[in-house]
Amino acid sequence: MSSESITDGIDHSSALFSLRYLETLNLAYNSLNSTPIPSNVGDLTNLRYLNLSNSGFSGQIPVGLSLLARLVTLDLSTLYFPGTRSLQIENPNLSTLIGNLSGVKELHLDGVNMSANGYQWARTISSSMPYLSKLSLSNCYLSGPIDPSLRNLELLS
């Protein structure tokens, strides 16, 4: 459903969340009017590929995302424009959100406000995602030096 001009958001009552055997969900490049990602996204436990990039979602990324233990690709990236609301990772924090996503090979969080220091995010990612081969974190409000623990990600290219 990428680039389908979907507007007005998707809420928790959407029939989309009853598709329990869905393995791929791509809502990229829609206009969901700065609505939050529905918390019951975690009900789609068979998802292997989730792409919500530039879809118009904003606000806190829901903890339900951490239930998607079969994910291989996760893309929540968004282009940042001044005055627009972005996605953010605050409460729950990055560790809570990705701690159960050990099979992820591609992680794209460009434009997601993480406001984390280099030690924090690097250690969390390197300890939670041992098979990670692609990592994209531009414009995430990260600070401080990058932790050497990223060296543990031997597949990272």
Side-chain angles (χ1 to χ4, degrees):
M1 296 187 289
S2 175
S3 302
E4 290 294 327
S5 301
I6 300 171
T7 59
D8 296 331
I10 295 175
D11 65 20
H12 67 280
S13 65
S14 171
L16 179 66
F17 300 108
S18 64
L19 302 173
R20 302 283 189 251
Y21 298 103
L22 190 67
E23 292 184 10
T24 298
L25 178 58
N26 186 345
L27 292 172
Y29 298 98
N30 281 290
S31 299
L32 298 173
N33 295 330
S34 295
T35 59
I37 297 172
S39 58
N40 55 339
V41 68
D43 292 346
L44 302 173
T45 56
N46 285 303
L47 279 182
R48 297 181 52 73
Y49 176 89
L50 178 60
N51 186 344
L52 302 179
S53 65
N54 299 298
S55 57
F57 286 118
S58 67
Q60 175 62 44
I61 296 171
V63 71
L65 196 79
S66 67
L67 302 174
L68 304 178
R70 294 183 180 195
L71 276 182
V72 175
T73 299
L74 176 59
D75 190 343
L76 301 176
S77 57
T78 186
L79 298 173
Y80 173 74
F81 297 104
T84 60
R85 293 183 52 211
S86 65
L87 286 170
Q88 61 190 37
I89 298 174
E90 274 184 9
N91 188 15
N93 62 18
L94 183 63
S95 179
T96 302
L97 283 172
I98 69 169
N100 194 33
L101 306 181
S102 61
V104 169
K105 294 180 181 179
E106 290 189 33
L107 180 63
H108 305 269
L109 297 175
D110 303 305
V112 175
N113 186 349
M114 293 176 29
S115 299
N117 68 49
Y119 296 114
Q120 181 186 27
W121 68 263
R123 286 181 184 166
T124 298
I125 290 172
S126 63
S127 66
S128 300
M129 299 179 161
Y131 304 107
L132 197 64
S133 62
K134 289 186 180 181
L135 175 63
S136 189
L137 298 172
S138 66
N139 299 315
C140 288
Y141 304 97
L142 302 172
S143 63
I146 296 173
D147 190 74
S149 63
L150 281 183
R151 283 184 251 156
N152 298 335
L153 296 174
E154 297 174 358
L155 302 174
L156 194 61
S157 60

